[in-house]
Amino acid sequence: MNVRNVITFLTLLFLPAVAFAFGADAADNARAELVSVGQTLTTIFGFLLGFIVFIAGCYKISLAANENQKSAFITPIVYVLSGTIMMNVFATLDVFTLTVFGVDNFCQIIKDGSAVDSCMSDAMSGLTGELKTRVEKLSGASTALAFLAHITIIVGMFQVIGLIYFLVGAYGLTQVANGSSKEAGYAKPVITMFASALIIDIPHTAQMAITTLETIGINF
């Protein structure tokens, strides 16, 4: 099976929008800055919430120690773990990326208000290379660069959304621990964190998906 025709169709479908947006460098920079601000604010909020959860966990540990209840240590330990994850979200994501993809760092495609070129050229190459080539053939190199700029913004937005849900999943561990959400158990927040981590590192996730498809004969 070959998906080149599908790629061509998608290129022709979205090319008018890309061509219309060509020349809007200032707008692209503003969007990238907005995405970067979103990442920063989400990280700060996650750190503050994680710090509160961590302190609450330490307090619960002291209460459990004073009451000599060994079984009561489970909840505060989960609190401490959840708080640590939220305070060190990027380090946690790096560990996830190393474990799942074998790469030292997750691909943060927009950082400090601009695109990370190494992320685009390495992790995103399998995802954007074919599309860029076809856009160049259809409308030139300049439009292809504008197309990649838009792809970068979209991926950056997905990373912010994934980061938010990752923090929601981490906080969900405490909800299960204190009995507020026992129905689904720890599986729901863990799955939320795992799925969110895949979305956050969507460049490596997409690259892995493309490699898997090529392995079974579906070539881009």
Side-chain angles (χ1 to χ4, degrees), residues 172 176 181-190:
V176 177
S181 181
K182 282 188 174 181
E183 294 79 9
Y186 288 105
K188 183 177 180 179
V190 169

Side-chain angles (χ1 to χ4, degrees), residues 1 12 48 65 78 86 98 100 104-105 108 146 151 160 162 172 178 190 197-198 202 215 218:
M1 179 180 177
L12 291 172
L48 294 176
V78 172
M86 286 189 282
L98 179 62
V100 176
D104 291 338
N105 303 106
Q108 187 176 358
I151 289 290
V160 174
N178 65 25
V190 169
L198 291 177
I202 194 171
T215 301
I218 303 176

Side-chain angles (χ1 to χ4, degrees), residues 125-182:
S125 59
L127 181 64
T128 60
E130 182 68 24
L131 288 174
K132 180 183 176 183
T133 300
R134 290 180 179 274
V135 171
E136 285 180 345
K137 290 180 180 179
L138 290 170
S139 191
S142 298
T143 304
L145 291 176
F147 173 79
L148 287 182
H150 282 69
I151 289 290
T152 301
I153 299 299
I154 292 171
V155 173
M157 292 173 61
F158 272 105
Q159 288 188 321
V160 174
I161 294 171
L163 185 60
I164 293 172
Y165 274 94
F166 186 84
L167 293 171
V168 169
Y171 183 75
L173 296 175
T174 66
Q175 299 298 98
V176 177
N178 65 25
S180 300
S181 181
K182 282 188 174 181

Side-chain angles (χ1 to χ4, degrees), residues 96-105:
F96 172 86
T97 301
L98 179 62
T99 303
V100 176
F101 301 112
V103 181
D104 291 338
N105 303 106

Side-chain angles (χ1 to χ4, degrees), residues 7-140:
I7 292 176
T8 302
F9 172 77
L10 292 175
T11 302
L12 291 172
L13 181 65
F14 291 106
L15 184 59
V18 174
F20 180 77
F22 173 68
D25 292 337
D28 287 335
N29 292 336
R31 295 187 189 102
E33 186 66 32
L34 185 62
V35 170
S36 183
V37 169
Q39 290 176 341
T40 301
L41 291 177
T42 302
T43 304
I44 292 174
F45 177 79
F47 179 87
L48 294 176
L49 181 60
F51 181 74
I52 294 172
V53 171
F54 183 85
I55 295 300
C58 293
Y59 177 71
K60 289 177 180 291
I61 288 177
S62 66
L63 290 180
N66 291 333
E67 296 174 1
N68 292 321
Q69 295 180 355
K70 293 183 179 180
S71 60
F73 278 99
I74 296 177
T75 297
I77 288 175
V78 172
Y79 267 71
V80 170
L81 176 62
S82 176
T84 302
I85 290 173
M86 286 189 282
M87 286 191 295
N88 301 277
V89 62
F90 284 164
T92 304
L93 290 170
D94 285 340
V95 172
F96 172 86
T97 301
L98 179 62
T99 303
V100 176
F101 301 112
V103 181
D104 291 338
N105 303 106
F106 82 97
C107 188
Q108 187 176 358
I109 200 164
I110 294 179
K111 189 174 182 180
D112 298 328
S114 59
V116 179
D117 293 336
S118 60
C119 184
M120 284 294 295
S121 62
D122 297 334
M124 292 288 288
S125 59
L127 181 64
T128 60
E130 182 68 24
L131 288 174
K132 180 183 176 183
T133 300
R134 290 180 179 274
V135 171
E136 285 180 345
K137 290 180 180 179
L138 290 170
S139 191

